[in-house]
Amino acid sequence: MAHAAQVQRMSRLMIKTLRDDPADAETASHKLLVRAGYVRRTSAGIWTWLPLGKKVLENVSRIVREEMDAIGGQEVLLPALLPKEPYEVSGRWEEYGDLLFRLKDRKGSDYLLGPTHEEIFTLTVKDQCTSYKDLPVILYQIQTKYRDEARPRSGVLRGREFQMKDSYSFDTTDEGLATSYALHREAYTKIFERLGLDYRIVSAVSGAMGGSASEEFLAPAAAGEDTFVDCPACDYAANTEAVTVKVAPVEDADHGPVEELDTPDTPTIEALAAHLDVPASATLKNLLVKVDGEIVAVGVPGDREVDLGKLGEHLAPATVELVTAEDFVDRPDLVRGYVGPQGLAGTAFRYLADPRIAHGTAWITGANKQGMHAKNVVAGRDFEVDQYLDVVVVEPGDPCPKCGTGLRIDRAIEIGHIFQLGRKYADAFELDVLGQNGKPTRVTMGSYGIGVSRAVAALAEQSHDGSGLCWPREVAPADVHVVAAGKAKQTELALEIGEKLGAAGLRVLVDDRAGVSPGVKFTDAELIGVPTIVVAGRRAGEGVVEVKDRRTGEREELSVEDAVARLGA
Ligand code: ATP
Ligand code: MG
């Protein structure tokens, strides 16, 4: 039993439960964690953990710590207040943009509040490890992180100050890195199992099918800000940002020559499809964007949307912007609303396309003349694609890239991320150790995060009902919540059973508050969500209590001795 037994009397606990949801709360975890007295908002995205909340947070931390120690991780604690220089070396002082909290000391030197610590860990290992014999090393910390999030919503789910477990592995070989990564994957699996979270491991990078350079641990929940796909037929699962499109090869069909169609007032796909009475999927939409100022066209089927985030990631570090009316001023070759790639792709603009615009497919698209479209425009015959990219917004039913079955899409909360960094930071800081051959060897790294405070919110999202929270036992603030539902006799029995359960090794919360009605106590017990509720009520005089399972609602009357024996087991 990893928990220390404890009896906490509610009469001495600082807790004020609320009957109403906080006005600004949208998600269940935000509402319930505030109402049940676990956390309190101090400022936007900045939270105070009250006694019960701190217990849950500590329980999550303890599980994380035990499993990190089990894979040989060594716990350290780095500062949160950091000098600018290492982040200038890595480039992240700039790259982080507005996400970084920057500040100055009294001498005017620049500092930041750490959003994540790759730089400082790399420097720590450079300072401490000199030979291949000193590696591999896994270091971790559970620490407060700072990010000036644009929309700190949903309570502790997305804070500007939050608790993260971050670990970093240092190896001399790629195989070593793969092993450190696999150890983390295993540890994370155990952590999330023990936390009682429903979670999925999904690929976080496109193209890495079955690959493991980066994976996310997602907790399915309606309140989640991430979306992921999973295949009902095989084991494929990926963040929607990482889904790849696989297109069946098209047989060489004879499509007939390009034919121009008079289509007045049809600058949108909807108008065009209605005018010609064809499905939008038969049309080719050409989105014009500016990539580092240069006009580029992106071709996708007319019924699909371009995911600008994905496009940006593919083209990074180039910047991607939508074109504006001004960009057409000195480009008479680009007829707004009627652009087609035929005759223009590769000359007037670079042409990027979704893989569905495969060689041999025929499309209805703009004729590059006002009010005109063209049909039988064939990829590979009438225009060439400069580059195929996965840029469309994934939709439910899209084929699984592994087996072709229709994919499902769900929302989730990112609770963990494991990432093979490789030599990026080791290169930036020239982290070498003396190799077996006597020569300096560049170190390769992994970085691995768990949102410790976010996990508390994720648990609350997944484990609650209409009456309140329902914590899984390992993270609950107590094992048993004993309610004295009556006067002196009931309180006496409640305290007695509380002591007995404590002696049996359990963490007990006893509601011994005087002057609080049984109804209010029951409501609070349901709201607080300890897994087992014991009520000393009507039959207290006979030494009989009611034992209730918070989750299932099942209840049973037992003698105090039987209840202690049952729960203490
Ligand atoms: P997100 O996409 O949600 O912003 P991220 O990709 O920026 O997360 P990482 O940098 O991988 O997150 O951080 C590691 C872990 O820290 C995440 O998996 C998440 O669980 C947690 N985390 C990140 N940002 C926050 C935040 N603002 N509040 C609480 N937890 C966070
Ligand atoms: Mg991430």
Side-chain angles (χ1 to χ4, degrees):
M1 193 82 213
H3 287 296
Q6 198 194 358
V7 180
Q8 169 76 56
R9 295 168 72 150
M10 266 181 85
S11 60
R12 295 180 194 158
L13 176 69
M14 188 183 75
I15 182 167
K16 188 172 79 185
T17 57
L18 307 174
R19 290 293 161 256
D20 295 318
D21 292 331
D24 57 338
E26 284 165 20
T27 58
S29 59
H30 184 176
K31 291 173 190 168
L32 291 171
L33 290 171
V34 171
R35 278 183 46 205
Y38 286 79
V39 297
R40 201 79 190 139
R41 182 181 177 279
T42 301
S43 179
I46 302 177
W47 291 86
T48 294
W49 292 80
L50 295 170
L52 286 186
K54 183 66 166 61
K55 282 185 201 290
V56 176
L57 193 63
E58 275 311 307
N59 289 337
V60 174
S61 301
R62 179 178 43 77
I63 291 170
V64 169
R65 191 170 276 127
E66 284 172 8
E67 298 302 337
M68 287 306 300
D69 289 345
I71 61 165
Q74 304 178 61
E75 186 169 6
V76 294
L77 184 59
L78 271 51
L81 179 60
L82 302 170
K84 165 172 99 163
E85 288 70 28
Y87 286 77
E88 277 202 312
V89 171
S90 69
R92 294 210 286 189
W93 177 260
E94 290 294 328
E95 264 168 40
Y96 261 118
D98 290 339
L99 205 66
L100 205 59
F101 278 106
R102 300 174 177 83
L103 62 159
K104 284 191 193 296
D105 71 1
R106 61 169 76 206
K107 296 194 185 116
S109 307
D110 286 308
Y111 286 81
L112 65 134
L113 295 176
T116 168
H117 282 69
E118 280 77 1
E119 288 82 350
I120 314 299
F121 272 90
T122 308
L123 288 172
T124 303
V125 168
K126 190 174 160 90
D127 175 50
Q128 298 286 317
C129 303
T130 48
S131 154
Y132 71 94
K133 291 181 200 150
D134 299 332
L135 300 183
V137 158
I138 293 174
L139 298 174
Y140 78 94
Q141 61 177 348
I142 296 175
Q143 193 226 23
T144 308
K145 295 280 188 274
Y146 296 87
R147 296 183 184 179
D148 196 359
E149 301 277 0
R151 279 174 296 279
R153 285 173 302 161
S154 316
V156 295
L157 213 45
R158 180 173 297 282
R160 296 199 296 162
E161 173 180 288
F162 59 99
Q163 298 294 313
M164 193 203 286
K165 183 287 298 180
D166 47 331
S167 48
Y168 306 83
S169 65
F170 299 84
D171 283 272
T172 47
T173 62
D174 293 348
E175 298 73 49
L177 169 57
T179 304
S180 296
Y181 182 91
L183 284 171
H184 274 88
R185 199 176 194 273
E186 188 61 31
Y188 277 38
T189 303
K190 293 205 176 117
I191 289 166
F192 296 126
E193 298 280 338
R194 284 182 63 187
L195 288 179
L197 271 171
D198 172 24
Y199 70 96
R200 305 277 187 287
I201 306 176
V202 309
S203 168
V205 283
S206 56
M209 249 208 309
S212 56
S214 174
E215 287 165 296
E216 288 169 350
F217 288 71
L218 301 182
E225 293 177 10
D226 277 74
T227 50
F228 72 103
V229 301
D230 74 342
C231 177
C234 76
D235 64 356
Y236 180 78
N239 193 306
T240 43
E241 286 161 15
V243 176
T244 48
V245 181
K246 208 170 95 192
V247 179
V250 183
E251 294 185 13
D252 254 343
D254 188 7
H255 288 296
V258 174
E259 199 181 309
E260 291 196 347
L261 310 167
D262 212 5
T263 54
D265 290 329
T266 57
T268 64
I269 293 290
E270 294 71 47
L272 175 66
H275 181 88
L276 296 177
D277 196 20
V278 294
S281 58
T283 70
L284 171 61
K285 175 157 76 183
N286 302 288
L287 179 77
L288 296 181
V289 292
K290 276 187 295 180
V291 179
D292 274 349
E294 170 211 356
I295 291 192
V296 167
V298 185
V300 302
D303 60 338
R304 306 303 298 240
E305 294 302 323
V306 174
D307 184 330
L308 289 172
K310 273 189 184 180
L311 181 64
E313 269 181 29
H314 279 299
L315 301 178
T319 59
V320 179
E321 302 160 279
L322 288 172
V323 293
T324 61
E326 281 163 32
D327 296 311
F328 289 88
V329 171
D330 53 356
R331 291 295 299 264
D333 56 333
L334 304 178
V335 185
R336 205 169 194 194
Y338 300 91
V339 172
Q342 64 285 13
L344 297 183
T347 54
F349 46 67
R350 196 145 61 88
Y351 197 55
L352 313 177
D354 176 66
R356 291 175 186 83
I357 319 300
H359 196 277
T361 52
W363 302 91
I364 299 170
T365 192
N368 300 311
K369 292 175 192 162
Q370 191 63 38
M372 300 285 283
H373 279 85
K375 73 179 217 185
N376 293 332
V377 179
V378 179
R381 184 190 75 181
D382 303 313
F383 65 93
E384 295 294 338
V385 173
D386 291 303
Q387 195 184 351
Y388 284 107
L389 290 177
D390 285 307
V391 292
V392 304
V393 176
V394 181
E395 284 171 19
D398 276 356
C400 168
K402 224 166 161 182
C403 76
T405 308
L407 293 169
R408 290 187 299 231
I409 301 191
D410 285 303
R411 299 196 73 80
I413 299 163
E414 182 190 321
I415 44 173
H417 189 181
I418 53 178
F419 190 38
Q420 295 192 20
L421 277 174
R423 297 189 169 79
K424 179 176 171 193
Y425 290 91
D427 283 343
F429 294 96
E430 301 184 335
L431 172 59
D432 296 326
V433 291
L434 207 58
Q436 225 159 346
N437 57 5
K439 290 187 186 141
T441 306
R442 186 94 344 150
V443 171
T444 180
M445 293 168 55
S447 98
Y448 317 88
I450 290 183
V452 171
S453 48
R454 178 178 284 186
V456 174
L459 277 163
E461 285 297 332
Q462 289 186 347
S463 311
H464 71 266
D465 61 19
S467 315
L469 297 158
C470 311
W471 297 107
R473 185 131 175 197
E474 265 218 75
V475 295
D479 298 306
V480 186
H481 186 146
V482 185
V483 177
K487 298 253 155 50
K489 181 80 212 151
Q490 282 79 4
T491 305
E492 199 181 304
L493 186 71
L495 287 169
E496 184 188 319
I497 190 170
E499 287 305 326
K500 284 183 178 160
L501 289 168
L506 296 173
R507 300 164 306 144
V508 194
L509 188 61
V510 184
D511 195 345
D512 60 337
R513 290 177 295 176
V516 176
S517 76
V520 167
K521 287 183 181 175
F522 292 142
T523 308
D524 279 348
E526 301 271 306
L527 184 60
I528 290 167
V530 169
T532 306
I533 299 169
V534 172
V535 183
R538 255 183 324 109
R539 300 183 62 193
E542 309 157 46
V544 174
V545 293
E546 187 183 79
V547 177
K548 182 179 170 191
D549 183 305
R550 169 65 186 90
R551 193 180 290 268
T552 64
E554 274 167 38
R555 50 181 83 210
E556 204 181 345
E557 291 207 316
L558 295 172
S559 67
V560 169
E561 288 64 40
D562 286 351
V564 172
R566 171 83 56 88
L567 299 170

